Amino acid sequence: MEIEVALSTVAEVAMSLAGFTGLLLALAPTGHDTRQAFFRVSAVVSACFVLVVGSLLPAALLESGLTEQASYGISAVLVGIGFACCGASIAVAGRRGIFQSAAPVFSMMLRVPSWVLAIFMVVAPFFADELSMSALLVFACLWYLAVVGAYFILSILWVIQNQTLNKHEI
């Protein structure tokens, strides 16, 4: 499979996840904390936006005349910075009580490797001679797509849990 096809597929799946996340907001019960619902949606949509930009940017940079290594390196840095920002917003929201994971151990197991990978993506272009930036970008995009998918599933479980709570309160 060509690198561009793999990255295009990642972008398509990320856009689909962003769209379905909007449905979560519609399904979320209004009687409970809507800040958490809005934060979950915004976190997943912003992560999907980072994936789409990071996946499609190399093709545009290649067309502009940059080398393959440089275009994938720039995209890798942007994906790393984007997911570091997404991770920071989740951490801040968790400390403020806005984001509460239904499975905190599972959530932590996703966050720690994601932070390490985000930092590595930012510094990786400095080691560009030893690394295949295109393979690294595809790996990172697939990892983050899996993480976003897991948070999407956790958000679905959160909606189901809150709907069950609403039925018991009535």
Side-chain angles (χ1 to χ4, degrees), residues 19-100:
F20 284 121
T21 302
L23 292 175
L24 281 178
L25 187 59
L27 294 175
T30 56
H32 284 79
D33 190 5
T34 56
R35 292 179 316 152
Q36 190 166 157
F38 281 117
F39 179 78
R40 286 178 180 276
V41 169
S42 64
V44 171
V45 169
S46 63
C48 288
F49 178 73
V50 170
L51 277 173
V52 169
V53 170
S55 297
L56 298 179
L57 187 61
L61 293 175
L62 283 169
E63 288 296 319
S64 71
L66 286 175
T67 65
E68 183 176 328
Q69 196 75 348
S71 63
Y72 288 114
I74 291 169
S75 297
V77 168
L78 290 177
V79 166
I81 291 171
F83 275 98
C85 291
C86 289
S89 69
I90 290 173
V92 168
R95 287 200 177 107
R96 291 185 180 174
I98 297 170
F99 179 74
Q100 299 167 352

